[in-house]
Amino acid sequence: MATKTETKQTYYESIIKQGYSRRDFMKFATYITAYMGLESSMIAQVAKSLETSYRLPVIWEHYQECTCCSESFIRSDHPIVADIVLDKISLDYTLTLMAASGHQAEAAKLATMEKYRGEYILCVEGSVPMGDDGNYCCIAGKTAKEQFLEAAEGAKAIIAWGSCACNGCVQAAYPNPTEATPIHKIIKNKPIIRVPGCPPIGEVMAGIIVHVVTFGRLPELDGLGRPKAFYSKRVHDSCYRRPYYDAGLFAETFDDQNAKDGYCLYKVGCRGPMTYNSCGTIRWNNGVSFPIQSGHGCIGCSEEDFWDNGPFYERLTGLAGFGIESSADTIGKVAAGVVAGGLAAHAIAANISKRKELKSEISSGKSNEKNLER
Amino acid sequence: MRTRTYKRVYVWELPVRIFHWVNVLCLTTLAITGFIIADPPALMSSAEASESYWFGTVRFIHFAAAYIFFFNMILRVYWAFVGNRFASWKAYFPRDKKMWRNLWHVLRVDILLQNEKNPDIQNISVGHNTMAALSYLALFVIALVQVFTGFGLYSSMSGWWLADLFAWVVPFMGGDFIVRTIHHAATWLFILFTLIHVYLVFYHDWLEGRGEVSSMFGGYKFVSKERMSKKVPNRTNVKPPVIEPEPETTH
C-alpha cells in the first residue's frame, strides 16, 4: 500500500518482486492484450510499457455503493490483476483494501493528491448524494460531495466504476431520496471513463486500467463515455441463445419445456437486446458463465435507470409517471377505446344535430332517383 | 329545395395518392410487425433453431418497411415544394385570416356539431381543412420521432451510413430502454390518428357528399360551381367552358 511504495517502481519490477516469473508476466501481458481487443502484435508493446512505465498513482474513492465493483475487480481472472495492479502496488488510497486506517489513511490520500497533482487517476465507486448538502454519505468527517470535489480537482482523469458512479443505480431509482448523482453530472471539466455494470466485469476493469497505464491515454470511448472495446455490442449480439431468438423460439415461463431446452429468454424479460456489455463474450467468474447461460435473463444492469424500467421478468413497456402496472399498451388500448367510443358518440350526435341538412340531402337524392331516365 | 351544381376539381395529384397508400401499407406493416417484435407469439416447435428464421424474417420486414416509409416520407416532403396548392407545404401552416377562420369553423361545425344559420361557402375546404392539415403536421412530427428512435435503435445493427446518421439518438436519450419505450408508445399515436382520420373521412363524405372517400383513389373532389372564378382562366380560353362536357352532379 501507500506506505510500502515510496520508491519508484515500474509495474514489471513490482510484479517480479511479488514472486511472479517472467513467463507469468508475459502470459498476463498476452491475456490482457486480448481482452483489450488489440491485435497479437500489440503484446510486445503492452509488455514493454509495463516494463518501463512507473506505476500510476491511483486514488479509489467509495461513496454510495456496495463495493461489488471492488469485489469484481479483485476476482479478475488473472492473479496479477488482483495481486499487483490493484491490491499490492497501484492503489494509494482505497477504503476497502488498504492496510492503513483512520487519520493515517486520510493523510496518505492527501499526500498523494499533493505529490501527484494533475497526474493521479481518480477511480470512483458509487454515486454522490447531492441532497441535503450531501449529508447522506460522510467519510472521515466530510461529505462525499466535498471528498469527491476535492479529489477530482487534481485528477488527471476519472474512472467511474459501476452503475452507481455512471448512472446512480439503485439509490438513484425513483424517488431518489438522497439525490444520488452520477459523477459525470457533477464534474464536467475532466476526462471521464464510464464503466457501467452492477458490477462491471473484472476483466473489463483490468483491461481499462492496463490500457491507461500502457498507452498513457484513455481508451476509445463511445457517445456515452464507455470504452468501445467492451461496450460497443449488445449482450444480445453476442448471446449464444441468439439463434433461438431469430428462429422465434422463446421460453414462455422459467419452468416450461422451452426454458429447459435453452430457448431465448426474450419473453421473460431478458434485457439483452437493450444492454451494452461484454457478458456474452468475456463472461463472468473466469469465463465460466453469465446470467443468460445460467438460465436467467439479463436485467440490463449496465443501462441507465434499469431499476425503474419495469419488472425484470416482463418485456419492457413500462411508462414512467403512469405507475408501475400500466404499460404503453394498456394506456394505448384504453386511449383507443375512449377514442372509438368518442367517435361513435360523435357520429350519433352529428346525425342528430345535422338532421335537417341530411334530411334535405336524402330527400333530394331520392327525388333525383325517381326522376332518373328509364 | 336548393340546387347546387358541382364542378369536378383535381385535388390530389398522383404522387400524393401514391404517397398516401404506400404510407398506409407501411404503417400497417410496421405496426403489426412492431407489435409482434414487442411481444412475439408462443410457437411450440420441435424443429432445430437452424431450421427456422421466422422472427428474423418479421424483423427484416419491419426494417425494410421502415426504409420504404422513410423514403416515401422524403418524396412527400419534396412534393410539398413542387406539387399543387393542396399538396404544398403552405397548406399545412395557418398563415392567413382565411385559414384561421376555417380552423374556427371546423371546430364549431364539425367537432362541436353546431349549425350555422348562414353557412359561408368559403369555409368548405377543397383540400385539407386547417384542422386536418394541423393533424397531418402532428403526424409528420410523430413520424419523425419514429424515424429517429427507430433508426437510432437500428443503427448499431447496420453498416450503412444512412442508419449510422442516427447513432447519436441512443446516447442522447440515455440508453436503449427509453428509446425503445418512446418508439413503442408512439405507435399508439399512429393508431389513434388512424381511427380519427378514417372516421372523419366518412363523416365528411356522408354530410357533404363531395367525394371525400373516392378523392384519394381518383384524385377528384366536387366543388360548388359558385366557387369557380368568374373570370375564365387564360389556358382554357381556346375552349369556352360552355361547351366543355363537364361532369356535373346535381342535388
Side-chain angles (χ1 to χ4, degrees):
Chain A
M1 304 281 21
T3 44
K4 293 182 199 165
T5 53
E6 289 305 319
T7 49
K8 265 194 163 185
Q9 279 183 329
T10 65
Y11 285 93
Y12 179 67
E13 282 164 358
S14 323
I15 288 166
I16 295 302
K17 212 174 165 186
Q18 286 294 321
Y20 289 96
S21 65
R22 167 89 191 163
R23 187 179 171 80
D24 289 328
F25 168 73
M26 285 312 296
K27 275 157 84 178
F28 168 71
T30 309
Y31 144 101
I32 208 76
T33 307
Y35 272 139
M36 285 191 283
L38 302 174
E39 293 181 39
S40 56
S41 60
M42 296 293 283
I43 297 169
Q45 198 177 328
V46 171
K48 175 132 188 160
S49 291
L50 290 171
E51 277 171 358
T52 53
S53 53
Y54 292 104
R55 69 176 199 87
L56 210 60
V58 174
I59 293 176
W60 188 306
E61 291 274 29
H62 300 254
Y63 305 126
Q64 288 179 300
E65 48 92 348
C66 71
T67 318
C68 72
C69 302
S70 296
E71 292 286 345
S72 176
F73 194 29
I74 60 177
R75 275 156 189 73
S76 173
D77 200 346
H78 200 284
I80 289 183
V81 174
D83 284 358
I84 308 297
V85 176
L86 175 88
D87 196 19
K88 299 291 196 299
I89 61 157
S90 269
L91 291 173
D92 294 85
Y93 176 85
T94 176
L95 290 173
T96 315
L97 298 172
M98 70 197 303
S101 62
H103 295 297
Q104 246 189 337
E106 294 301 312
K109 183 173 96 172
L110 281 176
T112 306
M113 276 164 52
E114 255 166 56
K115 193 173 166 193
Y116 298 105
R117 197 178 165 77
E119 288 171 50
Y120 63 86
I121 301 291
L122 175 65
C123 294
V124 178
E125 201 178 333
S127 57
V128 178
M130 301 296 275
D132 293 329
D133 292 329
N135 274 321
Y136 292 111
C137 178
C138 292
I139 301 144
K142 284 190 206 160
T143 64
K145 187 179 157 189
E146 285 171 314
Q147 293 265 15
F148 173 58
L149 292 175
E150 204 178 277
E153 212 204 331
K156 183 183 172 193
I158 302 173
I159 303 180
W161 289 139
S163 287
C164 297
C166 291
N167 306 314
C169 206
V170 65
Q171 61 274 25
Y174 181 81
N176 191 1
T178 64
E179 285 176 47
T181 309
I183 62 138
H184 70 280
K185 290 193 178 158
I186 304 170
I187 291 286
K188 304 276 185 194
N189 58 352
K190 298 273 173 189
I192 296 174
I193 310 179
R194 290 165 79 192
V195 191
C198 191
I201 302 170
E203 284 72 28
V204 168
M205 300 171 79
I208 291 163
I209 287 269
V210 174
H211 191 287
V212 174
V213 165
T214 49
F215 299 110
R217 58 168 186 265
L218 306 188
E220 198 185 344
L221 305 178
D222 68 8
L224 284 172
R226 304 174 297 193
K228 274 189 179 172
F230 306 107
Y231 292 93
S232 60
K233 284 237 176 340
R234 296 175 170 108
V235 172
H236 190 56
D237 297 330
S238 51
C239 181
Y240 77 103
R241 296 196 189 200
R242 177 62 186 262
Y244 291 110
Y245 172 85
D246 288 329
L249 296 170
F250 302 106
E252 298 291 323
T253 58
F254 280 108
D255 55 358
D256 67 4
Q257 189 54 43
N258 289 358
K260 286 170 192 156
D261 289 345
Y263 287 179
C264 175
L265 300 168
Y266 184 70
K267 291 187 76 178
V268 286
C270 181
R271 304 284 200 261
M274 283 164 280
T275 306
Y276 291 80
N277 213 330
S278 303
C279 302
T281 44
I282 296 180
R283 309 198 179 188
W284 290 81
N285 301 322
N286 307 349
V288 170
S289 181
F290 72 115
I292 296 166
Q293 193 175 342
S294 307
H296 190 287
C298 168
I299 62 170
C301 75
S302 57
E303 287 295 308
E304 186 156 324
D305 294 337
F306 75 100
W307 291 100
D308 287 331
N309 278 311
F312 288 150
Y313 301 104
E314 281 171 28
R315 285 279 299 130
L316 177 77
T317 48
L319 278 188
F322 288 94
I324 286 203
E325 296 303 318
S326 59
S327 67
D329 290 331
T330 330
I331 297 162
K333 280 173 198 162
V334 170
V338 169
V339 167
L343 293 178
H346 192 272
I348 294 165
N351 279 289
I352 295 169
S353 174
K354 315 272 183 193
R355 62 190 181 280
K356 281 184 191 158
E357 202 179 319
L358 280 168
K359 213 176 156 187
S360 93
E361 298 280 338
I362 290 168
S363 60
S364 72
K366 278 184 180 163
S367 76
N368 286 345
E369 191 252 329
K370 280 196 187 100
N371 296 334
L372 208 61
E373 56 178 12
R374 297 283 158 191
Chain B
M1 196 174 291
R2 78 203 149 99
T3 301
R4 188 173 281 164
T5 311
Y6 284 95
K7 289 273 188 187
R8 198 174 185 224
V9 176
Y10 191 41
V11 176
W12 311 126
E13 296 160 294
L14 187 62
V16 174
R17 282 175 279 149
I18 291 175
F19 160 77
H20 178 268
W21 293 112
V22 170
N23 206 33
V24 168
L25 285 177
C26 284
L27 282 177
T28 312
T29 310
L30 285 166
I32 292 171
T33 53
F35 280 121
I36 292 174
I37 292 167
D39 189 15
L43 290 188
M44 292 295 175
S45 165
S46 54
E48 286 290 319
S50 56
E51 300 283 309
S52 169
Y53 197 71
W54 79 263
F55 198 61
T57 308
V58 168
R59 293 174 73 242
F60 170 77
I61 293 169
H62 190 80
F63 302 142
Y67 273 118
I68 297 170
F69 173 77
F70 179 62
F71 288 122
N72 191 42
M73 203 165 110
I74 287 179
L75 287 175
R76 181 63 185 82
V77 171
Y78 165 73
W79 199 254
F81 293 93
V82 296
N84 69 10
R85 68 178 107 163
F86 306 111
S88 168
W89 63 273
K90 291 176 198 155
Y92 293 89
F93 298 91
R95 291 159 301 120
D96 52 26
K97 247 189 179 162
K98 195 182 155 194
M99 289 178 88
W100 283 108
R101 230 185 9 248
N102 180 260
L103 186 73
W104 181 237
H105 165 85
V106 173
L107 181 69
R108 273 189 316 130
V109 174
D110 294 320
I111 296 179
L112 301 174
L113 294 172
Q114 294 176 5
N115 288 301
E116 285 173 316
K117 279 209 181 96
N118 303 306
D120 178 5
I121 200 162
Q122 289 285 325
N123 272 329
I124 305 291
S125 305
V126 180
H128 301 311
N129 70 54
T130 311
M131 188 71 85
L134 287 176
S135 81
Y136 303 141
L137 198 63
L139 191 76
F140 181 71
V141 173
I142 304 166
L144 282 182
V145 168
Q146 293 299 63
V147 164
F148 277 82
T149 53
F151 279 110
L153 289 167
Y154 178 69
S155 64
S156 73
M157 296 176 248
S158 162
W160 195 28
W161 59 266
L162 184 80
D164 285 345
L165 288 180
F166 298 91
W168 56 272
V169 176
V170 170
F172 177 75
M173 299 298 297
D176 276 24
F177 278 58
I178 181 71
V179 178
R180 204 196 78 83
T181 306
I182 293 170
H183 195 69
H184 188 95
T187 307
W188 280 100
L189 297 178
F190 281 106
I191 293 169
L192 299 183
F193 169 86
T194 307
L195 282 172
I196 298 169
H197 174 74
V198 171
Y199 166 73
L200 284 175
V201 168
F202 287 142
Y203 167 92
H204 284 288
D205 199 88
W206 170 234
L207 280 171
E208 295 167 7
R210 299 187 299 117
E212 187 82 20
V213 173
S214 67
S215 69
M216 204 33 86
F217 293 96
Y220 295 95
K221 275 195 191 176
F222 297 95
V223 179
S224 172
K225 198 181 176 184
E226 296 159 51
R227 296 193 64 184
M228 293 294 134
S229 136
K230 298 278 181 291
K231 209 168 57 186
V232 180
N234 281 336
R235 58 194 167 90
T236 49
N237 256 351
V238 278
K239 214 180 184 188
V242 191
I243 52 160
E244 197 175 27
E246 278 278 3
E248 289 182 350
T249 55
T250 327
H251 283 239

